[in-house]
Amino acid sequence: MKSKNGLPCEARGADSRAQGRRSRGFTLIELLVVIIIIIIIASTVVALMNVFFRGQGVRQASLMITSTFAQGKQLACDTRVVHFIVFTNATDGGRMQIYRDGNGNKSFDGAAMDPEISERTIELPRFVMFVKNPQWVAFEPSGNEWADGQLARS
């Protein structure tokens, strides 16, 4: 039996089925699986990058604290006056300020503020905060260190 185009009916049906398979493309399930795999990989990369950058902030903060302590010791030795480093937290990170002991009592209070030095605010990297005491550290010209009124190191 022949069709209008002159081919046998069986041959035409097989040809149209093969042609349908070639142009069919990907199924919806296959596309969804690929998209889900891409989302899982992307979320893993974002989580790893977050951990990496947080660790970098902590390293940078430790260098800043060490540098500020060295600066406080140096100021105390150079000026022969006790200097304080005061630790505070803001909503976005910790801060340190260096003050000179204006009244000579070796205790940080409102009278100890030196306007020239109090403008030196050292801001830690974002979201790195102080979680433990002391609230301040004092450096004597002799090299002794005090933390909240107690001798920390001589």
Side-chain angles (χ1 to χ4, degrees):
M1 189 161 151
K2 296 201 181 222
S3 66
K4 294 180 188 175
N5 59 7
L7 295 172
C9 287
E10 313 161 35
R12 187 190 69 190
D15 185 41
S16 66
R17 273 184 260 137
Q19 198 175 32
R21 282 188 198 126
R22 272 188 254 127
S23 65
R24 201 170 88 189
F26 296 107
T27 65
L28 182 61
I29 299 288
E30 291 169 334
L31 290 174
L32 287 175
V33 167
V34 169
I35 289 171
I36 289 172
I37 290 171
I38 290 171
I39 289 172
I40 290 171
I41 291 171
S43 64
T44 303
V45 167
V46 167
L48 289 174
M49 293 298 287
N50 190 19
V51 169
F52 173 76
F53 286 123
R54 188 176 300 141
Q56 291 296 325
V58 170
R59 278 190 212 101
Q60 184 180 5
S62 69
L63 291 173
M64 293 170 78
I65 292 168
T66 303
S67 172
T68 304
F69 272 51
Q71 185 180 11
K73 286 180 185 180
Q74 188 65 43
L75 285 168
C77 289
D78 288 350
T79 61
R80 306 297 296 163
V81 175
V82 174
H83 279 74
F84 300 100
I85 298 175
V86 180
F87 309 103
T88 57
N89 285 322
T91 56
D92 61 342
R95 289 176 171 68
M96 297 177 289
Q97 285 187 293
I98 301 175
Y99 295 98
R100 183 173 64 95
D101 188 6
N103 57 12
N105 66 357
K106 295 183 185 178
S107 179
F108 182 75
D109 53 18
M113 194 182 310
D114 180 351
E116 177 185 339
I117 296 173
S118 66
E119 293 175 7
R120 296 183 191 172
T121 300
I122 298 98
E123 295 188 18
L124 296 181
R126 192 176 168 121
F127 301 120
V128 177
M129 300 198 180
F130 298 107
V131 292
K132 293 201 173 210
N133 284 345
Q135 295 177 357
W136 55 265
V137 174
F139 297 101
E140 292 182 346
S142 64
N144 291 340
E145 298 173 11
W146 296 80
D148 285 343
Q150 298 180 2
L151 185 63
R153 188 170 70 184
S154 57

